Amino acid sequence: MPTDRRCITTPIYYVNDRPHIGHVYTTTICDVWARFERLLGRDVFFLTGTDEHGQKVEQSAQERGLSPMAFADEISAEFRKTMELFNLTNDEFIRTTDPQHEQQVQSFVKRLMESGDVYLGTFEGWYDAGQEEYWTETKAKEVDYTSPISGKPLERAAQDNYYFKLSAFQNRIEALFAEHPTFVRPEARRNEILGRLREGLLDVPISRTNFTWGIPVPGNEEHVIYVWIDALFNYITALGLGEPDGDRAGDRRDYWPATYQVIGKEILWFHAVIWPALLMALGLPLPHCVYAHSFWISEGKKMSKSLGNFIDLEQLQHYMDTYGLDALRYFLAMQGPLGATDSDFLRAQFHETYTTDLVNTLGNCASRTSAMIGKYCRGFMPADSDAEIDDLDWASFCNEQVAITIAAMERFDLSGAIGAAMTIVRRVDAFINDTAPFKLAKDESNAPLVSAILHRCTEAVRIAACLLEAVIPQKIAELRSAWTLGDPSGDLTTECRWGGCKPGTPIAKVALFPRVDDAGPHLGT
Ligand code: MSP
């Protein structure tokens, strides 16, 4: 894979739920990363979509008096609209009902049958109808024959199933984890998987016969392919890896393997164990990293359907209308549950983050600097001088923060990346307060000094802005236009070098983040 290619995926979202903060969160953090990589000049493929088969969708459709397809069309369209609403720049939106996906899944399963990795066997044990998941006797006993997800009793099940021979991959999966310690991140999640791996891998039933809304097993149409197997394949069907050579999507294949497959922690087992085993069985390369983030909870409580406290689209829209989309993106990326612990979505904290970081720090520095340039330098970027104003070498200081940001983004440490960019801005803030150019300007003989101070402030804010562009693209576009910075060059590293904004460049005043009165309680609370 040429090094300038990157691929990032989100889970594909079930259509029997409406879009909510969880879906928006995962897709937004992937979007931040994808944009950042594009700014660095990399050729990025960013994939998201909807997971549309299975018993639950069939039932939800029935309850609504719709065909499963009509139901899936409706909710999938809602997810697609959500991606647009939140300015998410996915390159493809895959649906598991796309004929291209269905055909490729069948061809993969056929290959697995031919290689003996999928075989027909009889299952006797327990079935969790809500999760469409089978449980062995031992496992079912551990949970007292009750679904840990829905709380409903497991059902006794005996049926012929196609199985994926996961047990045959025990050694290879263990070797994968030993040889690639960052295959699953964060570390705490990796350790959980290592623990479960020690219990030994069992073969996985990958077909169902008790309903029909799914992709038929090739050669035995009584069976449909288990929705999880169908769904996992989306990552490679979207890139055309299962298409015959020379087909339409052939040119996308080079994006595989994915750089990051970002998921929530609840679906890690499928992605960290079953998925790589399937790829191994097919002789395909493995993703570089499966990144499992934690969960948003809401005002101290787990979000759940029964509590009805999901931060839904309406609530998100409310934050967007009050604070702006970029403020929401900033909060999600900066305060989200990227690590091993859950994050609480607190209205008060949202307000505080917005006010402290965006209004008082970034917005304030940009507006003070440009207002003073308007007042003391006729609105043009002033020249620097050799004057030693403070003990900081601004060029190397900024260089360091640029390097920290890029390195943090590379390891998907979004708050680390944002933090380094904000370090620059905070330094500018202190610099303005310490040197007080507005006071110096009262004496005309200080003009060269004032120019030098404002030059340094503008350069530093410009560099920080370039680093933050992936997070708050609309606001940075405003700044670019006010400060005549042009469009992003596609070479972020060069753009972030000190001295990029030449003296004489028109610098207009900007007000990026308006102060917001306290936004009031969550809607509906
Ligand atoms: N369809 C499966 C995934 C198949 S991928 C091959 C699925 N869909 S889902 O609609 O339930 O979406 C789950 C994903 O939504 C999680 O993995 C996570 O990315 C996101 N979130 C759902 N609730 C969440 C929170 N409360 N907090 C953060 N993200 C969570 O599972």
Side-chain angles (χ1 to χ4, degrees), residues 10-15 17 20-23 25-26 51 79 228 231-235 262-267 271 293-297 303 310 337:
T10 74
I12 46 170
Y13 304 115
Y14 283 135
V15 289
D17 205 355
H20 57 65
I21 187 173
H23 311 120
Y25 173 65
T26 312
D51 187 354
F79 272 97
W228 259 104
L232 285 167
F233 279 129
N234 94 84
Y235 299 129
V262 183
I263 55 168
K265 61 182 176 182
E266 85 288 16
I267 55 175
H271 285 84
H293 63 70
S294 301
F295 268 41
W296 280 105
I297 59 171
M303 290 187 281
F310 266 102

Side-chain angles (χ1 to χ4, degrees), residues 13 33 53 76 84 135 174 185 202 211 240 311 325 329 340 362 459 465 469-470 498:
Y13 304 115
W33 189 87
H53 289 127
S76 177
E84 284 164 22
W135 293 72
E174 279 173 5
R185 289 183 45 217
L202 300 174
F211 63 94
I311 300 180
L325 172 58
R329 288 173 62 92
L362 179 58
E459 257 312 79
E469 186 147 30
W498 189 261

Side-chain angles (χ1 to χ4, degrees), residues 10 21 25 82 114 118 134 167 180 189 219 239 253 264 299 312 360 397 400 407 436 446 463:
T10 74
I21 187 173
Y25 173 65
T82 305
E114 284 161 4
V118 163
Y134 285 101
S167 58
H180 300 278
R189 294 276 107 83
L239 299 175
R253 291 180 213 190
E299 304 285 339
D312 56 14
N360 293 346
F397 166 68
E400 271 163 35
N446 284 328
I463 291 169

Side-chain angles (χ1 to χ4, degrees), residues 4 24 27 59 79 88 99 131 166 186 194 196 212 217 280 290 300 347 395 413 476 499 501:
D4 68 338
V24 171
T27 324
Q59 280 164 357
F79 272 97
L88 301 165
Q131 295 307 301
L166 185 63
L194 287 177
R196 265 185 83 177
T212 57
V217 168
M280 286 171 182
V290 172
R347 183 195 53 76
D413 172 9
I476 301 308
C501 180

